[in-house]
Amino acid sequence: MRKPPIHRSFWNAIKGVIWMLKSERNFQIEVLALLINLFLIVYLKVTEFEATIILVVSFSVLSLEILNTCVEKICDIIQPEYDERIKIIKDIAAGSVFLMAIASAIVGVLIYTKYLL
C-alpha cells in the first residue's frame, strides 16, 4: 500500500480530531478546559515555562482521551457483547486519562495559585 501524500495524512488527523469533538463528551469538556487554560495563560501573564507546562499537560489529557476512545472502539469491534475482560481493558484505558487529568489539575493549582492569591 502506498503512503498517502503528507497533506492527506494531516487532513485525516484533523478529521479524527473533528470526529472526537462531535462525538465524545469528555473530549469536549477537556477542550473547554484547554480553552480556559489558554485564556488564563494570557490573562494572568504566566511565564513561558509555566505556559509550556500547562499546554503539555492539557494536550496530554486530550491525546490520552483519543487513545482511550481508540481502545474502546477496538474492543467494541472485537467483542460487541459484554465481557469482563473487555471491561477491564476499557477501565484501564480510562484510568490513564483519569490519572493525567489529576496531574493536570495539580499542575494548574501549583501554577495558578500564586497568580490568583
Side-chain angles (χ1 to χ4, degrees):
M1 186 164 104
R2 276 185 32 194
K3 287 187 177 183
I6 191 76
H7 70 279
R8 174 73 63 180
S9 296
F10 283 126
W11 178 241
N12 289 339
I14 291 167
K15 287 192 308 189
V17 173
I18 291 169
W19 186 89
M20 288 292 294
L21 276 168
K22 288 180 178 179
S23 306
E24 295 295 316
R25 183 199 59 207
N26 287 347
F27 191 77
Q28 294 164 355
I29 293 167
E30 292 153 359
V31 168
L32 177 61
L34 171 64
L35 294 173
I36 291 167
N37 276 301
L38 290 172
F39 170 78
L40 289 172
I41 286 168
V42 173
Y43 182 76
L44 298 174
K45 298 178 179 125
V46 302
T47 68
E48 285 183 23
F49 179 75
E50 292 168 331
T52 300
I53 298 299
I54 291 165
L55 292 174
V56 166
V57 296
S58 295
F59 279 98
S60 294
V61 171
L62 292 173
S63 297
L64 280 173
E65 188 64 54
I66 289 171
L67 290 174
N68 177 50
T69 300
C70 289
V71 168
E72 289 179 353
K73 298 296 179 194
I74 291 168
C75 285
D76 290 344
I77 290 169
I78 292 171
Q79 180 55 272
E81 304 299 320
Y82 179 82
D83 184 315
E84 185 64 26
R85 298 168 300 176
I86 295 294
K87 179 191 178 308
I88 292 168
I89 293 167
K90 288 180 173 185
D91 289 350
I92 291 168
S96 70
V97 182
F98 181 67
L99 289 177
M100 193 65 224
I102 290 171
S104 295
I106 292 168
V107 166
V109 168
L110 291 173
I111 290 175
Y112 292 134
T113 300
K114 67 182 176 187
Y115 292 97
L116 297 173
L117 294 181

